Amino acid sequence: MATSGRGTRSAGEAGAGPRPAALQAPRCARFEAPTVSRRAADGAILAVATGVSDVADSCHRRRLSMPNDFNQQIIDEFRANAGRVGGPFEGARLILLTTTGARTGAGHTTPVAYLPDGGQRILVIASAAGAERHPQWYRNLVADPQVTVEDGTFTYSARAEVLTGDERDRLFGRAAQDDPGWADYQAKTSRVIPVVALYEQAGGPPDAPSWGAALKMIHDAFRRELALIRAEVDRSGPALGAQLRVNCLTVCAGLHGHHSNEDAGMFAGIGAQRPDLAPVLDRLREEHQRVAELLGELQQTLTADGADREQVREQVREQVGRLVAELEAHLAYEEEQLIPVLDGVG
């Protein structure tokens, strides 16, 4: 796996023994951040150009100019706190994007906002707060589309694709519908603000000191994404925007994939080695079924045609609340019972 300037551990270095199958789930976050298939920031973006960072925060919608060391502070905080940062970016969906310098060939890491777009890719928008010049990270990936993404839980290699035509316009419009700041940026510049898709290619397990810690990181990624979605639903108008629907469907797919991998992989492996844990594993599987039912109800509401828009919003709010409560009880029990086993102390 490519590194991003901090000595990212390979899959073999992340922990002793083979990688548990349950930890091979796509990032949610990518919640799927991951997703758990992957992973983004309601619009926050740090664009480094000519020695100055333009910080465009859609949560607070204000522009700041700060030295490059501010970017490094965000990068350090992100890496030290599994993708969480404070200040104007608290609660934002961020990744660290490492590109190869178009002129220097050196690695260039930038905190960038992302938007969920299903389980196979995430989106980044090269707004540079409406500047006339594309941000450096965008110019780099145009020259070399192989990039490295850190989402706070996983580090993975990705292929960048600049979207064009109707697809670019549709996705930019979707983002601007939920956050008009994107449209404001487009109105400030003569350039067409690019939308870039990042497709995951390869990655290792979570950058954690043990398998138990890795499981907790994945769970926490789901917790954070669901908290973001819950807040987004509360902030939404009388109708749910298209991007918010995608955010919800993405995390639904990620949870389903994560639980399916646990059932077929980690639970089966633990059960074979620890028959005494059969009652615990049976309960966890039953809880997976209950979560799957709640996910199915939420997905049905989100994809229903012709439903009253305000009624859909209230249904989604209620369903997300029930899902969060049910999932938190499940995750807490799983962590209590299985983390000691995964770490060889239970």
Side-chain angles (χ1 to χ4, degrees), residues 12-13 18 34 44 51 85 108 122 126 232 246 297 321:
E13 295 168 333
V85 297
H108 179 90
I122 59 174
E232 289 167 349
V246 171
E297 293 172 5

Side-chain angles (χ1 to χ4, degrees), residues 75-306:
I75 292 169
D76 293 343
E77 184 180 3
F78 185 101
R79 288 172 172 166
N81 295 285
R84 296 185 298 274
V85 297
F89 300 101
E90 185 171 0
R93 294 183 181 90
L94 295 178
I95 58 170
L96 300 184
L97 177 65
T98 298
T99 58
T100 300
R103 289 175 296 180
T104 67
H108 179 90
T109 299
T110 310
V112 178
Y114 80 89
L115 296 169
D117 192 44
Q120 303 305 313
R121 68 184 191 180
I122 59 174
L123 305 176
V124 292
I125 299 178
S127 73
E132 281 298 321
R133 183 176 172 83
H134 292 309
Q136 183 62 54
W137 61 263
Y138 173 77
R139 299 198 298 273
N140 288 345
L141 65 77
V142 168
D144 184 349
Q146 291 302 126
V147 301
T148 298
V149 174
E150 300 171 55
D151 64 17
T153 303
F154 297 91
T155 298
Y156 57 95
S157 299
R159 174 180 59 83
E161 178 184 338
V162 178
L163 305 179
T164 59
D166 290 344
E167 184 179 23
R168 178 269 171 201
D169 295 344
R170 175 179 61 83
L171 294 173
F172 188 87
R174 188 179 78 188
Q177 179 189 35
D178 276 17
D179 182 354
W182 294 118
D184 293 342
Y185 292 154
Q186 184 59 81
K188 290 171 60 178
T189 181
S190 61
R191 67 188 175 92
V192 175
I193 292 178
V195 177
V196 181
L198 302 178
Y199 292 88
E200 181 183 355
Q201 292 185 311
D207 189 8
S210 69
W211 293 122
L215 182 65
K216 181 67 162 57
M217 286 181 68
I218 292 172
H219 285 181
D220 285 348
F222 280 117
R223 289 178 171 115
R224 290 197 301 273
E225 182 65 12
L226 284 169
L228 282 176
I229 287 173
R230 198 171 191 177
E232 289 167 349
V233 173
D234 288 341
R235 291 196 307 267
S236 66
L240 297 180
Q243 183 60 52
L244 178 50
R245 290 173 183 264
V246 171
N247 297 350
C248 292
L249 291 170
T250 298
V251 77
C252 287
L255 276 167
H256 175 75
H258 174 61
H259 285 171
S260 296
N261 283 340
E262 282 192 327
D263 288 340
M266 184 172 73
F267 291 178
I270 290 175
Q273 297 182 41
R274 294 287 302 274
D276 57 305
L277 292 177
V280 170
L281 298 174
D282 287 343
R283 172 176 163 174
L284 292 172
R285 292 188 182 99
E286 291 172 4
E287 291 175 354
H288 281 183
Q289 284 297 112
R290 175 57 183 155
V291 170
E293 292 170 5
L294 294 175
L295 291 173
E297 293 172 5
L298 178 57
Q299 289 169 314
Q300 184 174 8
T301 300
L302 290 166
T303 56
D305 293 328

